[in-house]
Amino acid sequence: MTTQAPYGTWPSPLDARLVAAHDGRPEFLGAVGDELWWTEPRPEEGGRRALMRLTVESRCEGSPEARSEEGRQDGEGAVSVLPAPWNVRNRVIEYGGQPWAGAPRTPEEGGPLMVFTHFADQRLYAFAPDAPDAPVPLTPLSEVTEHGLRWCDPVVLPGRGEVWCVMEEFTGQGPTDVRRALVAVPLDGSAAGDRSRVRELTDDADRFVTGPRLSPDGRRVAWIAWNHPAMPWDTTRVKTARVTEDGDLTEVSVVAGGEGQSVAQAEWAADGTLLIASDASGWWNLHRLDLDAAGGQGRPLSKALCPREEEFAAGIWKIGQRWFAPLPNGLVATLHGRGAMTLGVLDPETGDLVDTAGPWTEWAPSLAVTGTRVTGIAASPRSSYEIVELDTRTGHSLVVAAPHRDQVDPAYYPEPLIRTFVGPDGRDIHAHIYPPHHPHRTAPDGELPPYVVWAHGGPTSRAPLVLDLEIAYFTSRGIGVAEVNYGGSTGYGREYRDRLREQWGVVDVEDCAAVARTLAEEGTADPARLAIRGGSAGGWTSAASLTSPTVAGLYACGTITYPILDLEGWATDETHDFESQYLESLVGPLADYPARYRERSPLHRASNLSSPFLLLQGLDDVICPPVQCERFLEQAEGREVRHAYIAFEGEGHGFRRAETIVRALEAELSLYAQTFGIARTDVPALELSK
């Protein structure tokens, strides 16, 4: 039975605490022998990342009778191997990278040997999970700067007694006083107090490098490198070298990539050829390089394995992401798609690509191979991210860990629509529309719902179509959500993402506005009750929209979370090294276009503010620092625009603690309720000042 109630007033079992408890997803999945390992979020434990282990025995516990027709099993065999406060995460390029690695050993040798980075001190540690000993540090603390030394994307080489990984070393107090190199760290702990024991495998000629990938015979190594001002989705190079008997690298050469080409991943196949994901065709596609056969321009012979106008990779935001994984039998497990990524198995000889059966429509860039089995992290509009195993011999797949469990009746979940809108100049704009949805409430006849436009971060990124309890929090209360993959987003080829080149603050603002206006014009949304929200680059788009003369009056309010607000400040010394020259492509060189930096910045357009806004910021954020919010609020003084600013101690770029997520979400709902004229008593009233 359904009853009528105005949009936005509907009761919902999805409260903010439930949303916070399930924030985040499994990440950095990998195999150690036949075991599976990964990290999981713990919002209720201060936001730490736990290191999880699934043994072969636990993996096989689920009986056929315990599995549903969708291929799910119990999935509760995984255990956390390190108690709090161990936090398996690092800050390399600030967004972090692969934080752990392992090497299989026999029970007589003590079981697997694991290494990991601990967030609190950023050191690399080693431990044996089957032994009682506590982890021991392998790397030193830096005495140069508080940022110190950081490590990521490790490879454990017991035969050499070393861990090979990326080292990030700060050489001064500035955010760009940093160098990176591939290094070898002794497993005996001798470098814990002696920096000189860390052996550098490469020089620091490249500003950025990914971790080493060793060939099956151990005689070659490959990695990806790039330099300012390019971002990794602009230009990268694949480098290879030969490994000497002493473990040094010689004959270093560039074998793929270069100006205007982005290679997102490189992996060795079982036959010793090198597989890469390159966008030389305008789409990230898989290619095979034969390093012993010469091709054009002195480069190795290259063959496209499955040329399609689809993406087989995405931008490197975290070092160690894995969109494809070679199998021992020569097949390749790979993610692919347009606007979404599904898992398929590719025969590189024929180009045949067979997709995985099952309900999962989005796979994260994290794949593990154990024999003929491929394991990944997958979700759908009806299920959160869970760990799914595919048996490539049979085509059968099942959930083996982190299973989705409905926290409320799934009838409260949104029912999204995939839509393509028409923007300025007739360009396509991709979006996911989540109408208000409730099993027991409908709105009075003739009432149109409020809608919030969500601008994703990045901006060279994408909003996936998966179950997000934060979206359901709003839609189950009668507030619609429109997630916009505006021009510049990944997933639709290089031409689509290049739309944002020198147009940040223009194309993203226009595309979000076009979606909002269309929803209003077609009668889907109430034109008087539109809002915009976003975090990081999405926070920029939200603030730019609220201060843009071209969209004045469109949005009734907005939520701005850990944003960029002052382009000139951000382009000089107010962000981290990785993105310190990102604006060279997003806006244009500062030296050439200083007026453009000022004209587009919300900081200098605060006089255009007329709609209420909520500003949320982590005080430990080094990517989008709180000083930008403080200057913006100073400029907004005297505008008599209702607003609230909430700053969270102990939070950085992206909120991780349960209590922070709860307060931010309830404050956002209160902003909409007050602005849209909705009566709600289930969240604290947000105090809006002028």
Side-chain angles (χ1 to χ4, degrees):
M1 172 183 262
T2 61
T3 58
Q4 284 192 343
Y7 286 116
T9 68
W10 301 346
S12 174
L14 275 160
D15 62 22
R17 294 199 175 278
L18 182 62
V19 174
H22 297 277
D23 184 70
R25 62 172 174 81
E27 198 173 19
F28 295 117
L29 174 70
V32 180
D34 290 330
E35 296 183 355
L36 294 175
W37 291 70
W38 65 93
T39 67
E40 278 188 2
R42 294 288 186 266
E44 71 284 358
E45 297 178 22
R48 80 178 185 100
R49 300 289 302 195
L51 183 60
M52 306 298 295
R53 178 188 190 184
L54 184 68
T55 64
V56 176
E57 295 76 17
S58 298
R59 209 163 161 186
C60 299
E61 282 177 358
S63 66
E65 293 76 15
R67 303 171 191 170
S68 74
E69 60 185 5
E70 290 183 342
R72 288 181 167 81
Q73 70 173 46
D74 180 277
E76 295 294 350
V79 296
S80 173
V81 297
L82 293 168
W86 291 110
N87 188 356
V88 182
R89 180 176 155 228
N90 58 63
R91 289 179 58 183
V92 173
I93 69 168
E94 291 302 342
Y95 291 108
Q98 175 75 32
W100 69 269
R105 299 185 303 185
T106 65
E108 292 73 26
E109 295 173 311
L113 174 64
M114 308 299 297
V115 300
F116 68 94
T117 53
H118 178 42
F119 187 75
D121 59 15
Q122 292 298 300
R123 300 175 85 179
L124 194 65
Y125 287 79
F127 81 113
D130 295 335
D133 301 329
V136 296
L138 299 181
T139 56
L141 291 170
S142 172
E143 298 177 359
V144 177
T145 156
E146 64 174 327
H147 300 296
L149 291 157
R150 301 172 181 175
W151 321 82
C152 85
D153 211 4
V155 177
V156 181
L157 303 173
R160 293 190 178 276
E162 293 178 326
V163 181
W164 287 15
C165 62
V166 175
M167 178 189 70
E168 182 177 78
E169 181 176 29
F170 283 82
T171 58
Q173 296 300 322
T176 59
D177 296 332
V178 62
R179 60 189 293 269
R180 298 175 185 88
L182 297 184
V183 300
V185 177
L187 279 169
D188 62 9
S190 58
D194 184 358
R195 163 69 176 79
S196 67
R197 294 284 295 169
V198 176
R199 189 166 62 88
E200 299 198 9
L201 301 170
T202 64
D203 57 26
D204 54 7
D206 294 311
R207 191 71 169 191
F208 303 96
V209 291
T210 65
R213 298 292 182 266
L214 271 80
S215 61
D217 62 9
R219 296 178 180 178
R220 278 176 164 161
V221 65
W223 68 96
I224 295 172
W226 69 96
N227 286 294
H228 284 319
M231 297 300 287
W233 39 86
D234 298 325
T235 295
T236 61
R237 290 163 291 120
V238 180
K239 288 190 167 184
T240 63
R242 292 192 180 274
V243 183
T244 69
E245 292 293 328
D246 295 330
D248 296 322
L249 304 188
T250 63
E251 300 178 35
V252 177
S253 60
V254 176
V255 298
E259 188 61 34
Q261 294 183 30
S262 167
V263 178
Q265 186 185 341
E267 300 283 348
W268 296 96
D271 63 0
T273 58
L274 188 63
L275 304 180
I276 65 171
S278 167
D279 75 344
S281 68
W283 298 81
W284 275 301
N285 276 195
L286 298 186
H287 299 255
R288 178 168 58 196
L289 304 181
D290 187 344
L291 300 185
D292 297 320
Q297 300 178 335
R299 294 286 184 90
L301 190 64
S302 174
K303 176 187 176 184
L305 300 182
C306 185
R308 294 187 180 188
E309 289 191 346
E310 292 184 7
E311 303 284 37
F312 287 70
I316 301 175
W317 278 102
K318 295 184 178 182
I319 294 174
Q321 291 177 311
R322 204 177 192 200
W323 291 272
F324 68 89
L327 278 75
N329 59 10
L331 300 178
V332 181
T334 182
L335 309 185
H336 70 101
R338 296 185 69 163
M341 284 223 159
T342 191
L343 174 64
V345 177
L346 170 68
D347 184 338
E349 300 304 322
T350 64
D352 293 338
L353 181 60
V354 179
D355 287 342
T356 304
W360 308 281
T361 56
E362 184 72 44
W363 293 69
S366 193
L367 296 176
V369 170
T370 52
T372 59
R373 298 174 185 266
V374 179
T375 310
I377 304 170
S380 77
R382 305 295 290 179
S383 60
S384 55
Y385 284 100
E386 45 194 0
I387 295 179
V388 181
E389 181 184 80
L390 166 69
D391 187 335
T392 60
R393 297 170 303 175
T394 64
H396 294 160
S397 54
L398 71 158
V399 174
V400 294
H404 166 80
R405 304 219 185 271
D406 291 319
Q407 302 302 312
V408 297
D409 185 341
Y412 288 93
Y413 296 161
E415 297 181 351
L417 305 170
I418 301 173
R419 292 189 56 180
T420 302
F421 293 80
V422 177
D425 303 321
R427 64 177 182 249
D428 289 344
I429 305 168
H430 303 289
H432 307 144
I433 306 302
Y434 297 83
H437 181 75
H438 195 290
H440 307 300
R441 294 292 187 276
T442 59
D445 293 342
E447 183 187 2
L448 294 176
Y451 260 82
V452 183
V453 173
W454 284 30
H456 65 71
T460 312
S461 185
R462 175 175 62 89
L465 185 67
V466 298
L467 177 63
D468 184 337
L469 294 185
E470 193 169 0
I471 292 176
Y473 178 82
F474 292 104
T475 58
S476 63
R477 286 167 168 77
I479 299 174
V481 170
E483 271 191 320
V484 183
N485 282 319
Y486 47 80
S489 300
T490 55
Y492 307 97
R494 183 154 194 149
E495 182 180 351
Y496 192 84
R497 73 177 188 268
D498 276 352
R499 287 183 187 176
L500 212 56
R501 293 191 72 85
E502 300 196 6
Q503 296 298 308
W504 198 37
V506 178
V507 165
D508 50 324
V509 170
E510 290 177 345
D511 285 3
C512 287
V515 171
R517 287 191 179 113
T518 301
L519 292 175
E521 290 168 359
E522 70 186 19
T524 298
D526 184 345
R529 295 193 293 175
L530 295 171
I532 187 167
R533 68 101 83 166
S536 190
W540 153 271
T541 301
S542 298
S545 298
L546 293 177
T547 58
S548 171
T550 62
V551 295
L554 178 62
Y555 301 110
C557 63
T559 300
I560 306 166
T561 308
Y562 36 86
I564 299 156
L565 297 167
D566 176 10
L567 291 177
E568 187 174 3
W570 206 74
T572 49
D573 61 355
E574 288 183 357
T575 192
H576 61 141
D577 185 59
F578 176 60
E579 293 178 277
S580 62
Q581 297 186 37
Y582 196 3
L583 300 186
E584 295 282 298
S585 58
L586 286 176
V587 182
L590 176 58
D592 297 337
Y593 304 104
R596 184 184 293 173
Y597 277 64
R598 184 177 182 85
E599 290 164 1
R600 291 189 193 171
S601 293
L603 175 72
H604 299 298
R605 299 196 312 206
S607 60
N608 295 329
L609 282 168
S610 60
S611 301
F613 65 90
L614 169 63
L615 191 56
L616 302 168
Q617 177 67 46
L619 290 178
D620 293 346
D621 194 340
V622 298
I623 296 174
C624 296
V627 66
Q628 295 230 334
C629 291
E630 294 161 8
R631 287 204 301 269
F632 180 72
L633 291 171
E634 289 174 2
Q635 293 297 313
E637 283 184 7
R639 292 299 305 156
E640 296 189 353
V641 175
R642 294 189 306 152
H643 67 275
Y645 176 47
I646 306 176
F648 298 97
E649 292 185 1
E651 291 285 9
H653 198 68
F655 301 151
R656 297 175 178 273
R657 299 179 177 182
E659 60 270 24
T660 302
I661 298 167
V662 168
R663 189 178 180 198
L665 195 54
E666 291 183 340
E668 184 177 355
L669 178 59
S670 181
L671 171 70
Y672 302 149
Q674 293 182 54
T675 306
F676 298 154
I678 298 169
R680 295 206 72 97
T681 59
D682 57 342
V683 294
L686 176 68
E687 183 177 347
L688 296 170
S689 60
K690 291 187 178 180

